[in-house]
Amino acid sequence: MAQTVISVPSGMTASGEARFADAASNGVLTVDLDAIVANWRKLESRSVPAECAAVIKANAYGCGIEPVARALTKAGCKTFFVATLDEARRARHAAANATIYVLNGFFAATGPLYADLNCRPVIGDMGELAEWDTFCKVNHHAGGAALHIDTGMNRLGISLAEAQALAPRIAQGNHGIMLVMSHLACAEDLHNSMNGRQLAAFREIIGQFPDVPASLSNSSGIFLGAPYQFDLVRPGAALYGVNPTPEADNPMQPVVEVKARIVQVRTVEKGETVGYGATWTARRPTRIAVVATGYADGYFRSAGGADGIRAAEAVIKGQRCPLAGRISMDLTAIDVTDLPAPPRRGQMVTLLGDGVTVDELAHHFGTIGYEVLTSLGDRYQRVYRGGT
Ligand SMILES: *Cc1c(COP(=O)(O)O)cnc(C)c1O
């Protein structure tokens, strides 16, 4: 599908942006690169003296690897984490001199790609480490790798005992391990005792890696305080506006805005139903605006309205309006009866932004902000604001 991507200068007003929006687009997704940079700076200043990297996997949480990597490089970010080699290729294209780590690690045949892209695998398995060592030896490759040690998440990483057994190699020097890291399982839950246990285990094991920089914290981990920050922090979600401190106000700026076009405005009599399954009944003469976004665009079906269920809300001219009935693949109905003036066909409605946060949508979707962002569809016209 042809997807137009346009950039507008920072500080341009919403109506200014609307002029850039393609008249044919059914929806517009705006990514505020200045907000991403401001969020990175905030996380960086909270983490001094640790280095603040940026996690840009999954297309930078839906925001676009290339524009995000470029904007953050300009802001001074020097280290990026991606999940796959394909993402690494895109990151390298946008950030020629950055250090790039690939979280999903090394497979025997991928050596030449790592060398070509000058990227580092995050190694979390002893067999994987042996394969990497072989590749490096045979090809005289000295690009380095990160070592992931599991401290309780039981997802990726070598065990504490395996890490312990690497001590002699580390003591010998010239070991090729440029970063030693672990990952927190419950960082967003301030009171979870898992955090302290993982911290203690990590502290102890990095004693075996005295000259290797250490990294433990994702976005929420940064907010657990200085002891969790070590030499490098790895925020992802918070850069993109997800609240890293769910028990408190969001310290981050919102980044993504989604608007969809009204394709029809109709009147529904009291007692009539709206949408598939006829789950939503009009309790009064009702005005419905049907907008061009649905679950195929990442607007989850679970956020729909039914009798007695509080649906997600959209914002029209600054006023919130609830959804009416189920969300379809390409369409969503909104109850706009309470607006002082009926909206017009063709007008844009805000589904994310204008006070509707990623975390609020996640609540209605029955998921987390991460999944809201990484599910945003590719039918939206993309607008990038700022970043210069
Ligand atoms: C995704 C990921 C991060 C970033 O996590 P956020 O919660 O998005 O900040 C950091 N480290 C690892 C290992 C990850 O997989």
Side-chain angles (χ1 to χ4, degrees), residues 141-202:
H141 179 67
L147 190 65
H148 191 156
I149 303 173
D150 183 51
T151 52
M153 173 108 169
N154 279 307
R155 188 177 64 172
L156 294 178
I158 62 172
S159 70
L160 293 168
E162 288 167 334
Q164 193 79 42
L166 287 173
R169 167 182 176 156
I170 300 300
Q172 265 172 27
N174 195 25
H175 45 70
I177 305 299
M178 319 299 267
L179 182 74
V180 60
M181 56 176 265
S182 191
H183 193 45
L184 296 166
C186 309
E188 70 289 345
D189 179 3
L190 211 60
H191 308 291
N192 199 305
S193 61
M194 186 83 169
N195 296 323
R197 287 204 301 279
Q198 289 194 269
L199 176 64
F202 189 63

Side-chain angles (χ1 to χ4, degrees), residues 368-379:
I368 53 176
Y370 298 65
E371 197 180 9
V372 175
L373 293 178
T374 56
S375 300
L376 291 168
D378 61 7
R379 292 198 286 193

Side-chain angles (χ1 to χ4, degrees), residues 262-277:
I262 297 176
V263 292
Q264 181 160 141
V265 180
R266 66 190 306 118
T267 305
V268 172
E269 299 303 328
K270 184 177 174 186
E272 286 193 288
T273 61
V274 173
Y276 282 122

Side-chain angles (χ1 to χ4, degrees), residues 6-315:
I6 50 180
S7 294
V8 298
S10 45
M12 176 161 285
T13 62
S15 62
E17 261 162 33
R19 276 189 278 116
F20 281 84
D22 190 336
S25 71
N26 276 315
V28 180
L29 189 160
T30 306
V31 176
D32 188 342
L33 294 170
D34 289 343
I36 294 177
V37 166
N39 288 339
W40 181 79
R41 292 212 162 104
K42 182 166 216 171
L43 297 166
E44 189 205 23
S45 66
R46 274 199 83 101
S47 306
V48 172
E51 179 188 346
C52 188
V55 180
I56 55 170
K57 62 195 182 189
N59 199 27
Y61 293 53
C63 293
I65 287 187
E66 293 88 351
V68 170
R70 275 192 206 105
L72 288 177
T73 297
K74 260 186 216 154
C77 180
K78 294 186 162 46
T79 303
F80 294 96
F81 287 82
V82 295
T84 68
L85 271 166
D86 199 48
E87 293 169 353
R89 190 197 321 269
R90 293 173 58 192
R92 176 56 75 215
H93 188 68
N97 302 314
T99 300
I100 299 173
Y101 286 103
V102 181
L103 290 163
N104 285 0
F106 180 76
F107 295 92
T110 60
L113 260 176
Y114 274 103
D116 258 16
L117 295 171
N118 184 23
C119 293
R120 298 173 177 172
V122 177
I123 290 172
D125 172 274
M126 292 306 285
E128 184 186 4
L129 181 60
E131 287 173 8
W132 172 248
D133 285 340
T134 302
F135 169 76
C136 291
K137 203 164 155 195
V138 170
N139 296 279
H140 307 286
H141 179 67
L147 190 65
H148 191 156
I149 303 173
D150 183 51
T151 52
M153 173 108 169
N154 279 307
R155 188 177 64 172
L156 294 178
I158 62 172
S159 70
L160 293 168
E162 288 167 334
Q164 193 79 42
L166 287 173
R169 167 182 176 156
I170 300 300
Q172 265 172 27
N174 195 25
H175 45 70
I177 305 299
M178 319 299 267
L179 182 74
V180 60
M181 56 176 265
S182 191
H183 193 45
L184 296 166
C186 309
E188 70 289 345
D189 179 3
L190 211 60
H191 308 291
N192 199 305
S193 61
M194 186 83 169
N195 296 323
R197 287 204 301 279
Q198 289 194 269
L199 176 64
F202 189 63
R203 262 214 187 112
E204 191 179 330
I205 197 64
I206 63 171
Q208 306 293 337
F209 299 77
D211 299 321
V212 183
S215 175
L216 178 63
S217 281
N218 65 339
S219 300
S220 294
I222 293 170
F223 292 85
L224 293 174
Y228 285 82
Q229 294 167 356
F230 295 92
D231 301 301
L232 180 139
V233 293
R234 312 185 305 269
L239 294 172
Y240 312 105
V242 174
N243 187 357
T245 58
E247 288 167 69
D249 287 348
N250 191 351
M252 314 317 297
Q253 291 187 21
V255 166
V256 180
E257 189 183 75
V258 173
K259 290 186 172 164
R261 198 181 291 284
I262 297 176
V263 292
Q264 181 160 141
V265 180
R266 66 190 306 118
T267 305
V268 172
E269 299 303 328
K270 184 177 174 186
E272 286 193 288
T273 61
V274 173
Y276 282 122
T279 57
W280 188 94
T281 313
R283 289 160 197 279
R284 56 180 175 172
T286 299
R287 195 175 288 118
I288 295 288
V290 180
V291 300
T293 281
Y295 59 77
D297 302 291
Y299 200 62
F300 285 33
R301 198 168 166 275
S302 47
D307 295 334
I309 288 177
R310 206 172 149 245
E313 292 171 338
V315 180

